[in-house]
Amino acid sequence: MRHPGWVVGLTIAGMALVGCSPSPTPTGSAAVPESPQESKPSAPAPVQVQPGMVGAQTPGVLSVDSIKAETLPVAKFPALALAQENLRGQVLRQLAWAGEKRIEILPAINSASKDAIALLVEIKAGDASRYATIAYDVASNSAFNPLAMIEPTKWAELVAAVSGAEGGDQVASALSEQAFPFGNAPALAFAADGSLLVLGDQRIVIPAEQITPMLTPLGRKLQSGAVKPEKAEPPQKFSEPAPGLTDSREASAAPTASPGQASPAPTASPTASSEPSSPRPRISLGPDCDKLKCVALTFDDGPVAETTDLLKVLREKKAPATFFALGNNVKAHPGVLKEIGIEGHQIGWHTVTHGELPRLSADRVRTEVSSGPNTLSQLLGWAPVIFRPPYGAHNAKVDEVIKANNMANVMWSVDTKDWDKSRVQGAELTQAVVSSAVNDTKPGGIILLHDIHGTSRAAAAPIIDQLSKKGFTFVTVTELPGWQHFAWGRTYCAAPSLKATCF
Ligand code: NI
């Protein structure tokens, strides 16, 4: 071992654990006693701050058979809530599509302060366990993967530090991948003494004195919020993200375009290795929709019993979708709603009775909208972050109520008119719906469909096949590019990054 100061933990991920739990908690008391040869000190545990420090109290739970997904209610911090939603959905989808039956998703707060919050999510699948981190900047309401904690210029130093640790080679090579669960990169978290834990195939510890100089301002805030947690509160108004809180690709694109000027600061320490220095990878969370042609399929007015047929198609095609659920149908088919959630699709709210909101009394609007968070929290353990008004009908008063209920208003960019049976019906209608979805969709688009109609459910498979052939990638609504800029009560009809004018 080249760096004797480091302590290396036991392998916890990617393999079955047979009676040798590295868990720092005393719950594994039946474990085999450690042999004297293996008496090296174990890695410290990640800090777990009381959820009350971020105003979250207890997590909600979705539990079906051997699948348990917890969600911390963090709606005071919108981008953190969205990032948690995207991460949970992505994990559930991947595991459902892989046929995994035993799943646990356990979010915890690793760091809290007035400036920053780190959410550390433990993901257990079968006998394996691994982690994902969300690093959140309070002032600018921005969520990132944990690499946002590391200075771009110190990137090579971190990689060298990790690969120098015992068993660290694999962890170091995974560091450059996209953050788990969107890629395979390890999670980063802090221990109570300020040391950094790199949670991959091995648990690598980088002592505080070594990691501190490598941290960005956000990283240092998170470190101090782990060593000495304090209560987090959102500001009156969120600011623009600080310089440096952008992706390395954006940050590095500008200087290379002007070769005549003085060269910018080096992107990596030249002393680290003889390898050409590679820049810090992307710090955005979620699918890379700046590169991919992302599109969101949305299904309104369900769930109905036949929605399960649609779920089978989506599973077979490995395509996520977003469902805007109607309260009355949720009441009639609560099991189907849970199945949608367990399969990792996104669920938004679509009122209780499908009333036209601008025509209803203020009291009635409040009931129609606020039932969403209550009803869905009870069934799923999480409140919806997105809302779609019936008929797309809303006004400033309705938007205020949506905002008060911590949801963003989501319309569409492609109306397939799958609800209109006045011109064609049956297979002809299905064909018309497929043509509209395939021909009218642009990257960042949101496609409107209704899972209550058999003709629309039949359109799902050909739409997915044909749009895939055109190079589109399916994502949920809040994975569309620019989702970090969703604000409660605001209206979107396509990817927020497109800044489309909506109705
Ligand atoms: Ni509707």
Side-chain angles (χ1 to χ4, degrees):
M1 196 152 88
R2 273 174 283 160
H3 301 272
W6 298 341
V7 181
V8 180
L10 294 166
T11 295
I12 54 163
M15 63 172 65
L17 295 169
V18 186
C20 69
S21 169
S23 168
T25 58
T27 49
S29 53
V32 180
E34 281 186 44
S35 67
Q37 292 94 319
E38 288 182 54
S39 61
K40 62 188 171 190
S42 58
V47 170
Q48 285 211 13
V49 178
Q50 287 299 322
M53 294 294 242
V54 299
Q57 288 96 36
T58 51
V61 185
L62 170 62
S63 185
V64 176
D65 301 328
S66 305
I67 299 177
K68 180 179 153 197
E70 290 189 359
T71 303
L72 280 171
V74 288
K76 286 206 291 192
F77 309 99
L80 182 62
L82 288 162
Q84 180 182 215
E85 166 118 343
N86 290 350
L87 193 150
R88 184 197 58 233
Q90 184 76 228
V91 167
L92 286 172
R93 283 204 295 279
Q94 283 181 17
L95 295 175
W97 292 341
E100 183 59 62
K101 298 274 187 270
R102 277 194 299 141
I103 304 167
E104 263 188 282
I105 300 178
L106 304 165
I109 304 294
N110 177 238
S111 166
S113 69
K114 62 182 178 32
D115 299 313
I117 299 169
L119 192 66
L120 181 66
V121 184
E122 184 178 6
I123 295 137
K124 297 180 181 173
D127 292 318
S129 179
R130 62 175 309 168
Y131 292 87
T133 311
I134 298 167
Y136 178 76
D137 179 58
V138 174
S140 65
N141 180 38
S142 311
F144 304 96
N145 77 45
L147 298 192
M149 299 178 190
I150 308 298
E151 278 291 352
T153 55
K154 304 287 184 183
W155 175 247
E157 234 173 281
L158 176 76
V159 175
V162 172
S163 70
E166 194 180 316
D169 276 349
Q170 264 190 317
V171 182
S173 64
L175 265 175
S176 295
E177 284 192 38
Q178 210 183 336
F180 181 76
F182 304 94
N184 201 36
L188 305 181
F190 289 103
D193 63 356
S195 56
L196 184 79
L197 309 175
V198 184
L199 306 167
D201 280 349
Q202 304 277 328
R203 187 177 288 207
I204 311 291
V205 183
I206 303 183
E209 62 273 19
Q210 192 182 1
I211 192 63
T212 304
M214 299 184 207
L215 297 175
T216 55
L218 176 62
R220 290 190 193 200
K221 288 170 191 169
L222 289 170
Q223 185 189 40
S224 89
V227 173
K228 204 177 165 207
E230 49 180 43
K231 212 165 162 52
E233 278 294 339
Q236 291 287 349
K237 196 173 183 304
F238 293 115
S239 64
E240 288 298 306
L245 285 180
T246 52
D247 266 322
S248 54
R249 195 171 55 240
E250 291 168 39
S252 61
T256 50
S258 50
Q261 295 181 355
S263 62
T267 53
S269 161
T271 58
S273 74
S274 57
E275 295 276 321
S277 58
S278 56
R280 181 185 64 173
R282 185 170 176 266
I283 58 171
S284 294
L285 280 159
D288 194 351
C289 286
D290 295 327
K291 276 190 187 161
L292 303 165
K293 281 163 70 176
C294 290
V295 60
L297 285 176
T298 64
F299 293 95
D300 290 8
D301 297 0
V304 289
E306 295 83 359
T307 302
T308 53
D309 301 337
L310 175 59
L311 292 176
K312 279 186 203 125
V313 171
L314 297 173
R315 180 192 273 244
E316 195 187 299
K317 307 278 179 197
K318 293 189 165 47
T322 301
F323 292 81
F324 288 95
L326 194 65
N328 280 343
N329 278 339
V330 169
K331 205 171 161 191
H333 305 282
V336 181
L337 184 90
K338 282 182 156 194
E339 202 181 326
I340 297 171
I342 280 290
E343 296 266 326
H345 300 292
Q346 186 160 35
I347 299 174
W349 188 243
H350 194 49
T351 75
V352 184
T353 67
H354 213 271
E356 195 178 336
L357 294 174
R359 299 166 73 108
L360 304 180
S361 72
D363 270 355
R364 183 74 193 286
V365 170
R366 263 194 297 277
T367 314
E368 292 278 351
V369 175
S370 68
S371 302
N374 295 334
T375 307
L376 297 191
S377 293
Q378 278 175 22
L379 283 166
L380 302 170
W382 67 79
V385 295
I386 47 176
F387 176 82
R388 176 172 282 166
Y391 315 104
H394 67 113
N395 57 21
K397 278 184 187 164
V398 171
D399 293 350
E400 272 308 306
V401 180
I402 297 168
K403 182 180 181 181
N405 283 279
N406 302 320
M407 293 186 281
N409 203 18
V410 173
M411 314 299 251
W412 53 85
S413 61
V414 180
D415 182 356
T416 61
K417 300 223 165 36
D418 68 326
W419 44 269
D420 184 358
K421 297 183 181 183
S422 64
R423 283 176 300 171
V424 286
Q425 290 174 26
E428 268 188 284
L429 177 54
T430 296
Q431 189 44 51
V433 169
V434 172
S435 298
S436 165
V438 172
N439 297 324
D440 303 345
T441 296
K442 295 186 177 65
I446 299 175
I447 302 174
L448 173 67
L449 293 158
H450 297 80
D451 52 318
I452 51 169
H453 303 307
T455 42
S456 304
R457 294 191 298 270
I463 289 174
I464 294 165
D465 288 346
Q466 292 177 38
L467 281 177
S468 300
K469 233 180 245 170
K470 289 176 89 171
F472 280 94
T473 297
F474 293 92
V475 298
T476 61
V477 161
T478 58
E479 286 174 340
L480 286 169
W483 61 267
Q484 297 91 336
H485 307 298
F486 265 102
W488 301 149
R490 215 175 281 164
T491 299
Y492 305 88
C493 50
S497 66
L498 298 178
K499 298 196 167 76
T501 309
C502 300
F503 46 95

